[in-house]
Amino acid sequence: MPSNFSHRDAAPKPESKFSKQTAQIQNFFSIPAPIKTLFDFVPVLVYPPNELPQRAPKPSRIPTLYVFSREEDIAAGRPSFNPGCLKWQAFLNIAGVKHRLAASSNHASPSGQLPFLLPAADTSNTNLLPVRSNQLVKYAEDHGGYVEESTSMRYEAYRSLLDHRIRNAWLYTLYLEPSNFSAVAYPLYVASASSNPLVRASLSHQLRSAAEAELLKNSSIIDIDDLYSEADKAFEALSILLGDDQWFFGCDKPTLFDASIFAYTHLLLDEKMGWKEQKLCRTLKRRENLVKHRKRLVVAYFGG
Amino acid sequence: MASPGTNGEDLFENLRKSDPKKLEAEEKALREREAAQRAKAQERLRELVASNSTLPVTISSIRLIGAENTRRSFLDRLFNPILSVNRQKVYTLSEALQEVGSAADKLRKFEIYRDGISMFIDRPSQTDPSSTPTDIDIYLQARERGRIALKTGTDLGNVEGSAYGNLTWRNIFGGAESLNLNASAGTRTRSAYQAVFDIPILSDPDKRLSIDAVSSSTLKPWANHEEAVKGAGAKYSWTTENGTRHQVGYTGAWRQITGLAPTASPTIRNDAGDSFKSSISHTWITDRRDHPFLPTNGYLMKTVSEIAGWGPLRGDIAFWKSEMETSASRPVPIPGIKGNSGVSFATGFRAGVLYPLPVGFGSTSQPSRTNDRFQLGGPTDVRGFKMGGLGPRDGADAVGGDVYAAGSANLLFPVPRVGKDSPLRFQLFANAGRLLALKNQDDDTSKSVYSTVAKLGDGLPSLSAGVGLVYAHPVARFELNFALPLVVRSGEEARKGLQFGVGLTFL
């Protein structure tokens, strides 16, 4: 910026009419000295702060990961029932980033989707911004976590198998398969939000139509057989990729990719989910090495 | 004035010559003449009625002219009780006129007729064999208001500007039923849609039943979130003979705390999501003030009680909430000034408690949520603090409290030169408040409520004082104040200096 347009430079030149005006305007907006002394004098008395309400979370020295979960699973650190949340929960456990869990809903998230991490408030900075899931890798690196990423060229291709084929089959089997929706999705996502039948009906409708819209993004019709057979092929490909290795891409320790596979395999194989229509579960159970992979992660990072 | 005989050119000349001042004077004279005539006619009527006030009469019929769209059965309920056929006693003329006058007054209150319902009295022809010599017939003339009214406009409210559209459908079934549809969007209320169906019970304008549905989304910047509400309810309101108003109602509302700002605190994040409130409430108001926005004499008392979620009400949250509000004003006599000095003293006090209850028939009570807790502070209650500036804070968020009390004292003076008859006043004020949250106390709710109420008296309340200008506009009260906070709790958001407030109710 040229200096002659700057107010600060213009002010000392008394001959400029413009500068006089700006100086006056500045004077007008600045607080006159006697009032400023008065302002400095008040408040006369400052008491300690008010205490927070009962529902306010207790402050902690570790960050909080907001996930879909049941209240009773939170304290025990059990896996979230949402694959998107479970992926990052497993990732943080693998990376060794200490955190506590909070049962939450999408409304709490800055991106509109769980999970997200709220850093612990410490004395140095009280106003901490939430960390979205796509920034968690960097967060873990910055906070001394163990992060190893596969550099394999095939990584992206396999990730897209997961993000599309398996996810689509998951969306169908959870939300659009009526028996699974009422037995699995309804109690986890709908009944937990509100006890009111009208609210529940509205939320059910929203969930199902969102899942349907997501599936119709890629194709004009929802072909159920095709969805399941694509998922079957994807599991087959992943099973071949894993082979007899402990972890994917021959790593010594599990990576984010293992966490993302685990997010689906664990939920499909977990007896407690109570799947009614088990087509997708059966497809997975046929790949023995994937079943063992899930078991290894549960034992190592979720206490059995 | 041009006489009918004058030719066109002269008329034109005449019109051209007439200056506005002269026209105004003429008009004024005309108005005065009309007013004098009306006064004289009224005087004559009064004399006539006075001299015949004890004349025995029987009301044989009441006819309402100009009410094409009003149901007969609706009017019957209003007029039948005062017809002489349905009464034992004989009226005197003045009694009869009083009865009919109060019926006409009720008609006016339904708000389906234009102002000025006029009354005529006639005696039926004595040759009619069915009439008795004391019979009179009453004619009431009314003009119905338009049945559909559409209104759009802009509103300036508390730190908020909005635009609205409003459709009113009056007298739908001919019984003063009305349907009111309202849509608005503003800077704070992002969108609000409301439908209210209102119906007077038994042709009584003071007994009303209304059914409403609402869908709105409001920004709550003091707590970094947005609240979306979809709800419906029914209310019944009535006025007792001494002028006290009551309202009981049921509300069911689905609330969503959503759209959190990145800086939202953990307390707000914890409360984000859905909750359904099912509640019964009762409001009681007695208003004996001489002006709604700038009272100089009289008092107001109001209580609001609400029970949510308990027993058969169900829902996701449960509490008992009680709030009370009082204000009183008195003119202050100034020695040396005769009559009303225009100086007045006003005090106000508000308090509220939220008592957590178990949902349904459960046994553990539910701690309160952000959207049910009270907020305190701002230009319309405790001046010298920001909106929601008092009470518990988590980071930047005013998370609200379960118990509060606030009071104010204002001394109002007329502004010199403008005078005491204008709606403008200087004020000196001091106001104070306390807003506290309940503490966990071994799951003993009553103990925790009592100890929190007791804590209201710990130390001085958060306090501010200042001077300002008050303007009572017919639709709202405006205040421009210079306030200095004197006592605060650490974290509370005080506001030193100028503060502007617009509102309907001020502390």
Side-chain angles (χ1 to χ4, degrees):
Chain A
M1 195 163 116
S3 67
N4 54 342
F5 284 118
S6 153
H7 289 191
R8 220 173 291 157
D9 290 341
K13 293 176 197 162
E15 68 278 4
S16 154
K17 214 174 180 183
F18 173 72
S19 71
K20 238 188 230 166
Q21 268 173 2
T22 47
Q24 271 167 4
I25 288 167
Q26 275 170 354
N27 279 344
F28 182 77
F29 280 110
S30 66
I31 301 162
I35 291 185
K36 194 161 185 318
T37 356
L38 191 64
F39 279 180
D40 291 342
F41 185 64
V42 292
V44 186
L45 192 55
V46 179
Y47 285 109
N50 295 304
E51 285 173 83
L52 287 176
Q54 286 164 312
R55 267 174 69 94
K58 293 186 179 51
S60 88
R61 271 179 293 166
I62 53 173
T64 310
L65 184 69
Y66 285 73
V67 291
F68 281 108
S69 188
R70 300 182 197 88
E71 280 301 332
E72 60 267 27
D73 292 346
I74 287 297
R78 278 197 277 268
S80 159
F81 56 75
N82 174 281
C85 294
L86 182 52
K87 170 182 167 181
W88 292 105
Q89 189 188 349
F91 167 76
L92 289 181
N93 282 354
I94 291 165
V97 175
K98 277 219 170 68
H99 63 272
R100 63 171 179 175
L101 297 176
S104 190
S105 79
N106 279 336
H107 294 288
S109 172
S111 63
Q113 254 182 339
L114 289 179
F116 67 95
L117 187 83
L118 202 64
D122 49 31
T123 43
S124 59
N125 45 352
T126 47
N127 214 353
L128 283 169
L129 296 180
V131 181
R132 296 174 184 215
S133 55
N134 56 9
Q135 301 157 340
L136 277 173
V137 173
K138 188 166 182 305
Y139 179 89
E141 278 170 352
D142 293 349
H143 288 77
Y146 156 84
V147 180
E148 195 186 316
E149 272 309 287
S150 164
T151 49
S152 166
M153 294 285 283
R154 295 170 299 163
Y155 177 84
E156 278 304 315
Y158 282 104
R159 217 187 65 171
S160 96
L161 275 188
L162 205 63
D163 288 349
H164 294 106
R165 293 182 189 189
I166 293 179
R167 179 162 175 269
N168 285 352
W170 167 268
L171 288 179
Y172 183 83
T173 201
L174 178 61
Y175 297 109
L176 301 178
E177 198 77 76
S179 55
N180 280 341
F181 184 80
S182 53
V184 184
Y186 189 83
L188 293 179
Y189 291 97
V190 178
S192 61
S194 176
S195 62
N196 184 270
L198 289 172
V199 174
R200 287 180 172 184
S202 167
L203 289 177
S204 302
H205 175 75
Q206 278 174 20
L207 274 179
R208 294 172 64 99
S209 53
E212 203 175 305
E214 189 67 25
L215 290 178
L216 288 175
K217 251 188 205 168
N218 305 319
S219 67
S220 52
I221 50 150
I222 299 174
D223 182 342
I224 306 160
D225 293 336
D226 186 52
L227 278 174
Y228 282 132
S229 83
E230 287 293 318
D232 184 44
K233 281 182 211 157
F235 280 133
E236 177 68 29
L238 289 169
S239 174
I240 291 166
L241 174 69
L242 181 62
D244 294 331
D245 289 343
Q246 289 259 329
W247 313 114
F248 279 95
F249 301 109
C251 296
D252 308 333
K253 280 191 80 179
T255 63
L256 181 59
F257 191 78
D258 293 275
S260 355
I261 302 286
F262 172 75
Y264 289 102
T265 55
H266 174 71
L267 295 177
L268 286 171
L269 296 172
D270 189 2
E271 297 291 328
K272 273 186 274 171
M273 290 291 281
W275 296 104
K276 288 276 178 277
E277 164 55 64
Q278 303 199 334
K279 211 178 264 177
L280 195 60
C281 312
R282 281 198 300 270
T283 314
L284 177 60
K285 275 180 191 153
R286 284 206 297 273
R287 327 289 176 204
E288 216 168 288
N289 56 349
L290 291 180
V291 175
K292 280 183 182 155
H293 173 260
R294 172 240 167 187
K295 186 80 188 151
R296 274 195 288 279
L297 278 165
V298 171
V299 170
Y301 298 103
F302 288 94
Chain B
M1 275 262 242
S3 69
T6 339
N7 62 37
E9 213 162 294
D10 275 357
L11 180 71
F12 183 68
E13 279 297 298
N14 247 339
L15 278 175
R16 224 168 50 145
K17 262 187 259 163
S18 64
D19 62 313
K21 247 186 206 160
K22 203 171 139 202
L23 273 178
E24 210 171 274
E26 270 173 15
E27 215 167 277
K28 201 176 155 200
L30 192 71
R31 266 207 303 274
E32 274 167 7
R33 214 160 44 229
E34 265 177 15
Q37 261 170 10
R38 212 177 305 135
K40 222 181 265 171
Q42 248 165 13
E43 187 59 30
R44 261 206 303 274
L45 186 68
R46 204 172 300 130
E47 271 170 26
L48 194 69
V49 171
S51 61
N52 292 299
S53 66
T54 51
L55 186 77
V57 294
T58 44
I59 301 175
S60 69
S61 75
I62 298 171
R63 211 169 286 274
L64 180 64
I65 304 163
E68 291 89 4
N69 290 321
T70 313
R71 241 185 310 135
R72 171 75 193 243
S73 59
F74 174 73
L75 294 172
D76 277 351
R77 243 188 244 116
L78 198 63
F79 293 131
N80 272 349
I82 58 176
L83 287 179
S84 291
V85 187
N86 305 319
R87 289 172 68 107
Q88 307 291 323
K89 236 181 88 206
V90 177
Y91 283 116
T92 66
L93 180 61
S94 69
E95 275 170 358
L97 290 181
Q98 209 172 351
E99 286 288 333
V100 178
S102 74
D105 215 42
K106 279 185 181 171
L107 270 186
R108 199 168 303 130
K109 279 199 198 162
F110 289 121
E111 294 182 345
I112 52 175
Y113 303 110
R114 288 177 204 278
D115 284 344
I117 295 177
S118 34
M119 175 163 53
F120 308 95
I121 303 169
D122 193 19
R123 306 197 70 142
S125 153
Q126 293 300 320
T127 53
D128 185 346
S130 69
S131 73
T132 64
T134 53
D135 268 1
I136 54 169
D137 293 328
I138 308 247
Y139 293 89
L140 290 168
Q141 188 169 30
R143 277 194 304 146
E144 281 183 345
R145 293 172 71 179
R147 292 182 91 185
I148 291 191
L150 192 66
K151 209 165 66 176
T152 56
T154 50
D155 261 341
L156 259 179
N158 237 328
V159 214
E160 141 138 61
S162 64
Y164 67 88
N166 186 306
L167 177 87
T168 309
W169 184 7
R170 282 189 207 96
N171 208 6
I172 303 173
F173 304 117
E177 304 87 354
S178 71
L179 178 70
N180 195 305
L181 303 176
N182 195 71
S184 68
T187 48
R188 246 195 58 213
T189 307
R190 300 183 76 180
S191 67
Y193 302 92
Q194 195 185 29
V196 184
F197 180 69
D198 183 277
I199 144 176
I201 303 292
L202 299 173
S203 302
D204 187 343
D206 291 329
K207 292 193 177 74
R208 285 171 178 278
L209 180 72
S210 69
I211 296 162
D212 61 282
V214 66
S215 165
S216 71
S217 170
T218 315
L219 288 177
K220 305 267 171 94
W222 56 84
N224 278 312
H225 69 268
E226 190 181 322
E227 191 185 20
V229 178
K230 287 183 187 68
K235 291 182 188 74
Y236 175 59
S237 51
W238 73 98
T239 309
T240 61
E241 272 169 28
N242 55 17
T244 307
R245 295 202 300 276
H246 291 264
Q247 185 179 71
V248 287
Y250 170 82
T251 317
W254 173 15
R255 298 102 41 92
Q256 269 182 334
I257 291 185
T258 186
L260 269 59
T263 51
S265 64
T267 307
I268 300 297
R269 289 203 189 275
N270 229 29
D271 276 349
D274 307 276
S275 62
F276 187 83
K277 179 173 93 167
S278 163
S279 76
I280 290 179
S281 63
H282 173 250
T283 309
W284 174 90
I285 305 174
T286 187
D287 189 352
R288 305 232 186 282
R289 296 172 301 174
D290 54 359
H291 190 282
F293 302 135
L294 196 62
T296 54
N297 204 354
Y299 64 90
L300 166 92
M301 280 194 282
K302 180 179 174 182
T303 63
V304 183
S305 318
E306 182 180 18
I307 184 162
W310 185 74
L313 288 168
R314 320 290 298 187
D316 300 323
I317 47 143
F319 58 76
W320 167 270
K321 210 156 135 174
S322 244
E323 272 184 276
M324 65 89 85
E325 181 184 338
T326 63
S327 71
S329 305
R330 278 201 70 83
V332 179
I334 302 290
I337 301 176
K338 267 190 202 143
N340 184 6
S341 62
V343 180
S344 62
F345 179 69
T347 56
F349 180 75
R350 287 179 197 175
V353 180
L354 187 154
Y355 191 106
L357 294 174
V359 168
F361 298 98
S363 58
T364 37
S365 37
Q366 296 269 315
S368 60
R369 294 184 186 229
T370 306
N371 33 10
D372 294 316
R373 283 193 289 267
F374 302 110
Q375 289 285 350
L376 190 65
T380 60
D381 45 53
V382 184
R383 303 166 185 87
F385 288 87
K386 288 187 180 162
M387 286 282 282
L390 280 123
R393 278 190 169 261
D394 189 359
D397 293 343
V399 294
D402 303 292
V403 175
Y404 81 95
S408 79
N410 308 36
L411 191 58
L412 296 137
F413 305 93
V415 177
R417 291 220 212 167
V418 183
K420 66 178 163 70
D421 296 322
S422 80
L424 201 64
R425 290 285 184 279
F426 268 132
Q427 72 165 350
L428 284 176
F429 68 86
N431 44 208
R434 217 52 191 96
L435 175 65
L436 295 167
L438 295 183
K439 281 283 293 166
N440 265 331
Q441 230 153 23
D442 320 321
D443 292 330
D444 187 345
T445 312
S446 64
K447 204 167 129 196
S448 122
V449 172
Y450 288 131
S451 74
T452 312
V453 171
K455 237 168 55 184
L456 286 173
D458 283 359
L460 289 169
S462 297
L463 179 83
S464 74
V467 294
L469 265 181
V470 179
Y471 173 62
H473 187 268
V475 290
R477 169 164 161 165
F478 294 76
E479 282 193 6
L480 182 66
N481 293 315
F482 180 87
L484 289 175
L486 301 175
V487 180
V488 300
R489 262 75 200 167
S490 156
E492 288 186 335
E493 292 231 15
R495 200 188 153 94
K496 301 171 187 175
L498 289 178
Q499 192 176 30
F500 179 67
V502 191
L504 301 179
T505 53
F506 279 77
L507 183 69

